[in-house]
Amino acid sequence: MSGLAGLVKNGRVVPHTVVVAHERQVAALKSVDPRVRAVLTADPCLDRITASATHRHRYRRAFDADGRRMVLLCSTWGPHSLFGTDPRLAERLVSSLPADEYRVAMTLHPNVWQRHGPLQVRAWLRQASTAGLALVPPGHDWRQAMVAADVVISDHGSLTSYAAAAGKPVLLAADGGPEVVAPPLSRLLASLPRLPPDGLLDTVPTPVAASTVATIFHRPGTAAATMNTLFYRIMDLPLPDPRPAEPIPLGEVELSDPTHYRTTVRDASTSATDARLTIRRTTARDGDPGGSLSAADTTPDIALLESASAIWADFPFHSRESATAHIRSLLSRLPGARLATAKTPDGTVVAALRDGSLISATTTTTLSATTAALHWWSTQAGRPRRIEVDAGAASGGVEPR
């Protein structure tokens, strides 16, 4: 109430009009001074999120989430926030969820970036980013991530309310503790399921009931008309023709591809010439004992590189000869690797095996997934001529020759 009291100074109401998002706020303003003029309107931010739903595919493409379920982590600031209570949650999720089936993204409150500085925040998130976390940079719009998301993991910040109102399934990672005092928010938080301690997302929750959201937002979809009427009346200008809320423009996203994968073969069916390989890839350091570790030659983690059974060269080569020389040098320097791969200028993959042989392969999937498929192929007694890889967003065909 002390904050509301600042609306009146020396007996004079300071603002011309106060725009509020719910009728209960009108009563709160009038309790300070009955002269305070209030206009009840919808939330323009929510209206633009809703208006952007038609363009959802564009936002998902910006996050490289095509073919994957996108999980958005939203954190407000302070010790009771998602990031404040569990700063390694993003790292655990991005490294444990199947990388070809999930895209994990994160947006942080501006105060997190301001208080700790971008250098420190990125240092805390370095392992998560290396494992494939998509990060909304400081000062950039978080709303495109909200539209693109399939499920939101959040806390007591305002983005939880927006996610619920936008019809997104929401899991609560932190409830805000003593910082939550507003009854509508506390009711919303109480209705949300908690993120399991192990972070598994086998069961996605259902969206929040509309009646719960209605206690926070007033008449979604009407903000533009109401606020335009108010602003043009204040300026004493004729009201222009009404326009609907505009979609959110595409913003910047910090994307990084993982530099290592733990690959587990879930199923392999083979014939005389063909094979169908179903694999699950995570960026966990440890995993199924039957799995194999592959890594890019650019990975900063030397321990991972030296323990990987397959290596891929993570940069383009100007000729097949230079690619071949490089992958053979990788095998000589990394005796634990069974094979190393690189992509030639024409898009063909060349692979050097530990036994000294050299093969080529055409592929319709990523170099990292091709490397995993060729590693499996190299262990087979009867090596098929074509491998159909079932790996979520990284699915495709590989033909060694």
Side-chain angles (χ1 to χ4, degrees), residues 69-243:
R69 176 179 290 173
M70 181 165 153
V71 179
L72 176 63
L73 301 178
C74 302
S75 179
T76 188
W77 61 288
H80 301 286
S81 67
L82 178 151
F83 195 56
T85 58
D86 192 355
R88 298 191 65 182
L89 176 59
E91 179 184 343
R92 293 201 309 277
L93 282 177
V94 78
S95 62
S96 61
L97 292 173
D100 301 312
E101 300 172 29
Y102 287 87
R103 162 62 83 188
V104 180
M106 188 173 201
T107 181
L108 298 168
H109 193 284
N111 284 357
V112 176
W113 296 100
Q114 288 292 332
R115 180 171 183 177
H116 302 290
L119 185 63
Q120 178 62 75
V121 173
R122 287 193 171 89
W124 282 330
L125 293 173
R126 178 177 174 274
Q127 293 294 337
S129 296
T130 300
L133 177 70
L135 186 63
V136 178
H140 287 264
D141 202 330
W142 53 268
R143 293 174 296 180
Q144 64 170 346
M146 184 70 70
V147 178
D150 294 293
V151 60
V152 174
I153 300 175
S154 193
D155 52 24
H156 62 298
S158 60
L159 270 63
T160 301
S161 300
Y162 285 118
K168 303 292 181 179
V170 182
L171 288 167
L172 201 62
D175 60 13
E179 294 183 357
V180 178
V181 295
L185 178 59
S186 62
R187 285 194 292 269
L188 171 62
L189 297 180
S191 70
L192 297 175
R194 297 297 296 250
L195 177 70
D198 57 11
L200 293 179
L201 298 177
D202 293 337
T203 302
V204 175
T206 57
V208 176
S211 58
T212 302
V213 176
T215 63
I216 300 176
F217 295 100
H218 171 75
R219 294 178 58 197
T222 63
T226 305
M227 295 182 72
N228 278 347
T229 300
L230 170 63
F231 295 152
Y232 279 87
R233 187 177 72 235
I234 292 174
M235 295 184 292
D236 195 24
L237 293 173
L239 187 67
D241 293 335
R243 296 182 60 185

Side-chain angles (χ1 to χ4, degrees), residues 302-323:
I302 302 301
L304 280 173
L305 192 61
E306 292 181 341
S307 58
S309 55
I311 309 292
W312 76 88
D314 200 18
F315 55 89
F317 292 88
H318 67 274
S319 68
R320 178 185 175 89
E321 290 73 23
S322 61

